[in-house]
Amino acid sequence: MLDSINEGNYLIIIVIFRMVLDAKSGVGHNDYGSIGVAGGGEVSCRAGAGVDGTPAPVVMTQNDLYQRQPLLPPWPADKEEGADGGQTVTSLYCDEEEEDDDDREGKRSLANGGPVVAIDMPRPVRDEKFPKEKWKTFIAFLILTMNFIITTLSLALVHESVPDKNKYPPLPDVILDKIPTFPSALDISEIIIMISTNVTFLVIFLHKHRFIVFRRVFLIVSVLYLMRSITMYVTVLPLSSTTYYCSPKANTTSFVIIAKRVFQLMSGFGLSINGKHTYCGDFIYSGHTVVLVICYLIINEYSPKRLILLHWGSFVASALGISLVLLARGHYTVDVLIAYYVTTRVFWIYHTLANHKKLKQATADNSLSRIWWFRIFCYFEGNVGGPVPRLYNWPLPWPRRLSAKHPNRDS
């Protein structure tokens, strides 16, 4: 009896000794599983001493194999039949091609807790998701120009239908009737518009994917101005200000007269501060509000998030510019409200469609595909692979210190 106990203790000491010293045994330091004698469906890893003095296989379970290499994928093992009918693990990797001894030894070292082999993987090219497509941007600019001409054409025609301000006073307005009138406030509002548009242009110009952003701005503004040309043509309101100067009516319409008016309005970019906007009737909806709101939305969407002062400054400038338009009685309050609602909805719907690949498909469950400009949108945004990241670089080859090797900045 005592001999059996001593012999068992001797076996335990032998097993522990081999675990510590034999680095190539495959059952070295195992902090995750248990080691026992082969049998009972376990997988043998290396032979040890048996009870009767004959070598007996030292084994570990399949779970122990995976626990010894927690950061490696579960590679299929090459197995051989042992003398006792069990299975012996000879390699943790299997390849279709025959491996040489050095490769097999290196993989065994990796499986037994050896040094990790680093494999250089090429980084994905992010620009593939955001192609420039400069020609599409140019087409979008042409669409914007065409819609701007349509808007000025609509205003040139509406001017002949504006009610006489000496016979028809301004319509009742809850806001305008309770605030004083400052005619010079319209000039200040247009100065704010010029500053906001220049800052917005600078933000887009420095954006890494500037051609995509420019294309989106051109298309969104085109949609807004096209709808504006329709709304102000179908319903002509009396003048909201009794002090605003309007050019005399021609009491007739001809191609030459309309062409001169269109050219005059386009040369002044639709602003009255330069004395070019002297034709009346463009009320529903406010073009000043459209520009101020779209500038804030673009800056907030594409400028770095850390530029909080820029975001708040753009918001305050837009709100102040809209308020000055009302103080100057350049528009009715309803014009401003409709302009804000239409601008924000078109902007947010466009970017929602652009940021989700599924929404770019005209399926039965995609109600947004019923928007009248959806097919145009799909043509210009079909190759954009997701939300445009806030990355920036210097687009010009000079000065060279700004065109560094890694100019991109992620916010």
Side-chain angles (χ1 to χ4, degrees), residues 82 89 110 198 231 298 348:
V89 176
L110 179 61
N198 287 316
T231 55
I298 294 170
W348 292 334

PDB file of all heavy atoms in Angstrom, residues 82 89 110 198 231 298 348:
ATOM      1  N   GLY A  82      -2.022   7.525 -31.809  1.00  0.00           N
ATOM      2  CA  GLY A  82      -0.986   7.026 -30.917  1.00  0.00           C
ATOM      3  C   GLY A  82      -1.019   5.512 -30.831  1.00  0.00           C
ATOM      4  O   GLY A  82      -1.856   4.825 -31.415  1.00  0.00           O
ATOM      5  N   VAL A  89      -1.458  15.401 -30.916  1.00  0.00           N
ATOM      6  CA  VAL A  89      -1.369  16.646 -31.653  1.00  0.00           C
ATOM      7  C   VAL A  89       0.063  16.848 -32.110  1.00  0.00           C
ATOM      8  O   VAL A  89       0.982  16.839 -31.288  1.00  0.00           O
ATOM      9  CB  VAL A  89      -1.818  17.834 -30.781  1.00  0.00           C
ATOM     10  CG1 VAL A  89      -1.632  19.142 -31.542  1.00  0.00           C
ATOM     11  CG2 VAL A  89      -3.267  17.658 -30.387  1.00  0.00           C
ATOM     12  N   LEU A 110       5.294  29.606 -31.938  1.00  0.00           N
ATOM     13  CA  LEU A 110       4.199  30.566 -31.765  1.00  0.00           C
ATOM     14  C   LEU A 110       3.068  29.956 -30.970  1.00  0.00           C
ATOM     15  O   LEU A 110       2.474  30.586 -30.097  1.00  0.00           O
ATOM     16  CB  LEU A 110       3.705  31.032 -33.126  1.00  0.00           C
ATOM     17  CG  LEU A 110       2.540  32.024 -33.142  1.00  0.00           C
ATOM     18  CD1 LEU A 110       2.942  33.293 -32.417  1.00  0.00           C
ATOM     19  CD2 LEU A 110       2.100  32.319 -34.551  1.00  0.00           C
ATOM     20  N   ASN A 198     -18.112  84.107 -47.084  1.00  0.00           N
ATOM     21  CA  ASN A 198     -16.658  83.982 -47.231  1.00  0.00           C
ATOM     22  C   ASN A 198     -16.074  82.987 -46.235  1.00  0.00           C
ATOM     23  O   ASN A 198     -15.188  82.186 -46.591  1.00  0.00           O
ATOM     24  CB  ASN A 198     -15.987  85.352 -47.065  1.00  0.00           C
ATOM     25  CG  ASN A 198     -16.202  86.263 -48.262  1.00  0.00           C
ATOM     26  OD1 ASN A 198     -16.084  85.836 -49.406  1.00  0.00           O
ATOM     27  ND2 ASN A 198     -16.529  87.516 -48.018  1.00  0.00           N
ATOM     28  N   THR A 231     -42.512  79.814 -55.753  1.00  0.00           N
ATOM     29  CA  THR A 231     -43.411  80.343 -54.708  1.00  0.00           C
ATOM     30  C   THR A 231     -43.602  81.854 -54.837  1.00  0.00           C
ATOM     31  O   THR A 231     -44.708  82.363 -54.626  1.00  0.00           O
ATOM     32  CB  THR A 231     -42.855  80.006 -53.315  1.00  0.00           C
ATOM     33  OG1 THR A 231     -41.509  80.487 -53.196  1.00  0.00           O
ATOM     34  CG2 THR A 231     -42.867  78.503 -53.078  1.00  0.00           C
ATOM     35  N   ILE A 298     -23.700  74.540 -42.902  1.00  0.00           N
ATOM     36  CA  ILE A 298     -22.472  74.013 -43.506  1.00  0.00           C
ATOM     37  C   ILE A 298     -21.307  74.102 -42.527  1.00  0.00           C
ATOM     38  O   ILE A 298     -20.532  73.149 -42.367  1.00  0.00           O
ATOM     39  CB  ILE A 298     -22.156  74.768 -44.803  1.00  0.00           C
ATOM     40  CG1 ILE A 298     -23.233  74.481 -45.849  1.00  0.00           C
ATOM     41  CG2 ILE A 298     -20.785  74.381 -45.336  1.00  0.00           C
ATOM     42  CD1 ILE A 298     -23.126  75.365 -47.072  1.00  0.00           C
ATOM     43  N   TRP A 348     -31.090  68.655 -44.087  1.00  0.00           N
ATOM     44  CA  TRP A 348     -31.038  67.445 -43.253  1.00  0.00           C
ATOM     45  C   TRP A 348     -31.486  66.210 -44.026  1.00  0.00           C
ATOM     46  O   TRP A 348     -30.919  65.123 -43.842  1.00  0.00           O
ATOM     47  CB  TRP A 348     -31.888  67.650 -42.007  1.00  0.00           C
ATOM     48  CG  TRP A 348     -31.313  68.670 -41.065  1.00  0.00           C
ATOM     49  CD1 TRP A 348     -30.001  69.020 -40.946  1.00  0.00           C
ATOM     50  CD2 TRP A 348     -32.029  69.492 -40.138  1.00  0.00           C
ATOM     51  NE1 TRP A 348     -29.841  70.006 -39.998  1.00  0.00           N
ATOM     52  CE2 TRP A 348     -31.072  70.309 -39.477  1.00  0.00           C
ATOM     53  CE3 TRP A 348     -33.379  69.621 -39.799  1.00  0.00           C
ATOM     54  CZ2 TRP A 348     -31.438  71.227 -38.491  1.00  0.00           C
ATOM     55  CZ3 TRP A 348     -33.735  70.535 -38.810  1.00  0.00           C
ATOM     56  CH2 TRP A 348     -32.777  71.327 -38.169  1.00  0.00           C
TER      57      TRP A 348
END
